[in-house]
């Protein structure tokens, strides 16, 4: 315990220091929930260095948020099992509320400590300021962080810097007590009520494993607007947290990863599909309303010249099918289920109600996406045809239900694309 306390103190002291000057403190105190810290100075010069607060997480990571005297923000991470070399790049992937991930390079400043600068005008700190959850992926490990209290912590850290700059270390006290704001005349109408919080909806889709390392493919719109954790599970198994690795909105593809190793993965057909070939769509439409298991629908490839990068298929798909595998009679992937034609809009435009006009992303776009993401995948030239029941049984080992909480606008967008 004493060693851990010393390491934590070293993290808070030296995170902003260079090789010639260590930092000392804390002066004053910061206490926001589990976050503890204060102000720190350079040991040799005695000048103010930074304000910082840290918290211990169950994963074994000690997580620190810091701001220097010039208003520059940084994050700090310490883990007892890390063995780092100062000066070497330390890659991390930071994901906030399941949004687009940030690939950053931390700076090791000791064998267990790494610092991640956050420029004040960057998208990184903008996401961090409003996030409720963060995941950090590094060295093959995924760490989860609850950020519910950072909304209260950041103003306290800024208050610490402002007080020290104004009155020096003599003003060090309880920085957690923020200055009382002067009352301002209300600009809103007298009868205006409080702003309504964003309403969250359950958003679901389908994905499938393409690597034994847990990489999954789905549609980008399946995870667009997700707030908090993105979850995924095989049929009949408990949900696990997914990490968003990369996303391609142009081709409506997203790559996720779940921790673990897997034996069953989807194989991508090497030979091009032909018009009239039989296909099977696997997915989780209306999950929880119609069924808790995935559904299996059959059809044919109606056209190879669908909209842009799409195949047109007759297999029926519904909301929740998005991101699921479209399989050939051999059981190999020949597309990614993406959308169905909006029947209401089509009927208004033509006077006719369309039937079974659905779309899947072609494997050419899928393979380009996986190649660009440097993800290994398997291809197949299998010629033997399987029964639909066999195809579905094999797909059970690699087809995931994907779910998250999403804001209303994102939900409307996702529904429109299914």
């Amino acid at each position: 315990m004493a060693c851990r306390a010393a390491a934590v103190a070293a993290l808070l002291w030296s995170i902003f220091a260079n090789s010639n000057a260590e930092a000392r403190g804390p002066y004053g105190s910061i206490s926001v929930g589990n976050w503890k810290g204060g102000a720190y100075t350079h040991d040799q010069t005695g000048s103010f260095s930074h304000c910082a607060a840290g918290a211990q997480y169950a994963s074994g990571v000690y997580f620190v948020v810091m701001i220097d005297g010039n208003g520059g923000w940084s994050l700090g991470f310490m883990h007892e099992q890390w063995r780092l070399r100062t000066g070497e790049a330390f890659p991390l992937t930071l994901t906030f509320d399941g949004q687009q991930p940030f690939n950053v390079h931390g700076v090791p400043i000791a064998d267990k400590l790494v610092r991640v600068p956050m420029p004040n005008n960057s998208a990184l700190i903008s996401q961090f300021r409003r996030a409720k959850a963060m995941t950090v992926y590094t060295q093959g490990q995924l760490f989860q962080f609850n950020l519910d209290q950072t909304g209260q912590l950041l103003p306290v850290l800024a208050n610490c810097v402002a007080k020290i700059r104004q009155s020096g270390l003599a003003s060090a006290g309880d920085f957690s007590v923020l200055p009382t704001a002067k009352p301002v005349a209300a600009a809103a109408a007298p009868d205006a009520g409080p702003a309504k919080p964003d309403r969250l909806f359950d958003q679901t889709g389908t994905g499938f494993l393409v690597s034994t390392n847990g990489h999954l493919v789905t549609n980008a719109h399946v995870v667009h607007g997700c707030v908090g954790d993105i979850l995924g599970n095989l049929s009949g198994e408990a949900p696990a947290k997914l990490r968003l690795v990369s996303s391609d909105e142009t081709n409506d593809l997203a790559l996720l990863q779940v921790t673990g190793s897997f034996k069953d993965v989807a194989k991508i057909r090497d030979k091009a599909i032909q018009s009239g070939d039989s296909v099977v769509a696997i997915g989780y439409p209306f999950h929880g309303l119609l069924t808790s298991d995935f559904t299996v629908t059959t059809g044919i490839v109606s056209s190879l010249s669908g909209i842009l990068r799409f195949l047109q298929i007759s297999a029926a798909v519904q909301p929740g099918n998005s991101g699921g595998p479209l399989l050939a009679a051999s059981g190999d992937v020949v597309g990614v289920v993406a959308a169905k034609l909006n029947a209401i809009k089509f009927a208004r435009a033509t006077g006719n109600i369309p039937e079974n006009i659905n779309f899947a992303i072609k494997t050419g776009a899928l393979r380009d996406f996986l190649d660009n993401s440097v993800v290994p995948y398997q291809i197949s030239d299998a010629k033997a045809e399987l029964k639909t029941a066999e195809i579905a049984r094999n797909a059970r080992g690699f087809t995931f239900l994907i779910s998250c909480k999403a804001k209303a606008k994102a939900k409307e967008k996702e529904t429109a694309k299914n």
Side-chain angles (χ1 to χ4, degrees):
M1 184 63 72
C3 293
R4 175 174 293 181
V8 168
L11 174 64
L12 290 171
W13 289 346
S14 63
I15 198 78
F16 274 104
N18 55 38
S19 58
N20 297 320
E22 293 185 350
R24 294 300 179 191
Y27 299 90
S29 64
I30 291 175
S31 180
V32 177
N34 293 325
W35 296 90
K36 309 297 179 185
Y40 296 83
T41 65
H42 287 290
D43 184 39
Q44 292 183 355
T45 66
S47 61
F48 170 61
S49 172
H50 63 282
C51 291
Q56 182 79 44
Y57 282 77
S59 61
V61 172
Y62 193 84
F63 178 36
V64 182
V65 182
M66 298 148 287
I67 178 173
D68 64 21
N70 296 318
W73 293 89
S74 291
L75 303 178
F77 302 93
M78 181 194 78
H79 198 291
E80 291 287 350
Q81 296 180 356
W82 288 349
R83 296 294 181 268
L84 312 177
R85 293 184 179 180
T86 56
E88 291 188 356
F90 186 80
L92 306 97
T93 299
L94 310 181
T95 305
F96 302 102
D97 292 337
Q99 302 299 308
Q100 186 73 21
F102 293 87
N103 295 313
V104 299
H105 285 87
V107 181
I109 57 175
D111 65 341
K112 298 179 177 63
L113 315 178
V114 63
R115 173 191 171 201
V116 178
M118 291 195 301
N120 202 35
N121 59 350
S122 66
L124 175 59
I125 193 171
S126 178
Q127 288 273 20
F128 179 74
R129 288 180 189 275
R130 60 176 181 265
K132 297 298 182 184
M134 176 181 73
T135 62
V136 176
Y137 183 78
T138 185
Q139 295 189 334
Q141 291 182 293
L142 184 65
F143 300 100
Q144 311 282 341
F145 298 92
N146 186 321
L147 302 182
D148 284 342
Q149 295 172 331
T150 54
Q152 293 79 44
L153 175 64
L154 300 186
V156 170
L157 288 169
N159 179 50
C160 173
V161 171
K163 279 192 172 183
I164 297 298
R165 292 181 64 181
Q166 180 179 5
S167 306
L169 289 174
S171 66
D174 186 359
F175 300 113
S176 307
V177 180
L178 298 176
T180 304
K182 296 181 179 180
V184 179
D191 57 347
K196 295 182 178 179
D198 291 324
R199 187 178 177 188
L200 299 181
F201 292 83
D202 291 325
Q203 182 165 291
T204 62
T206 306
F208 55 96
L209 285 167
V210 293
S211 85
T212 55
N213 293 327
H215 291 99
L216 294 94
V217 167
T218 188
N219 289 146
H221 74 264
V222 168
V223 294
H224 176 76
C226 287
V227 177
D229 293 331
I230 302 173
L231 302 177
N233 60 283
L234 294 168
S235 180
E237 296 190 7
K241 293 180 182 179
L242 304 180
R243 178 178 71 94
L244 180 60
V245 178
S246 59
S247 180
D248 179 354
E249 293 190 3
T250 301
N251 290 299
D252 196 19
L253 291 170
L255 182 68
L256 305 168
Q257 188 175 22
V258 61
T259 301
S261 59
F262 297 84
K263 177 182 178 181
D264 298 322
V265 299
K267 296 179 180 179
I268 300 174
R269 176 166 154 161
D270 193 30
K271 184 179 178 182
I273 193 77
Q274 301 295 320
S275 295
D277 283 354
S278 298
V279 289
V280 178
I282 306 289
Y284 289 89
F286 298 114
H287 180 71
L289 295 177
L290 299 180
T291 178
S292 59
D293 198 3
F294 66 53
T295 63
V296 182
T297 57
T298 60
I300 62 169
V301 176
S302 305
S303 174
L304 296 175
S305 56
I307 301 173
L308 299 176
R309 60 202 177 280
F310 292 104
L311 300 168
Q312 183 179 326
I313 59 176
S314 66
V317 299
Q318 303 295 339
N321 271 106
S322 280
L326 182 71
L327 305 173
S330 61
D332 302 320
V333 173
V334 291
V336 182
V337 175
K340 65 180 297 182
L341 191 67
N342 190 310
I344 296 176
K345 287 185 178 180
F346 191 88
R348 287 174 179 170
T350 65
N352 297 309
I353 299 177
E355 295 183 4
N356 294 335
I357 300 180
N358 308 302
F359 301 97
I361 299 168
K362 297 175 181 177
T363 53
L366 171 61
R367 293 180 66 174
D368 286 345
F369 174 64
L370 293 176
D371 289 339
N372 291 334
S373 301
V374 197
V375 172
Y377 57 89
Q378 299 181 28
I379 59 174
S380 173
D381 58 357
K383 299 178 176 61
E385 294 189 3
L386 304 177
K387 294 182 179 179
T388 302
E390 292 179 280
I391 295 173
R393 184 168 57 251
N394 294 338
R396 190 172 293 278
F398 58 72
T399 305
F400 272 64
L401 168 67
I402 297 175
S403 61
C404 72
K405 294 288 185 181
K407 294 181 181 179
K409 289 184 179 179
K411 175 66 177 178
E412 291 167 3
K413 181 177 180 180
E414 191 271 344
T415 301
K417 286 196 174 185
N418 277 282

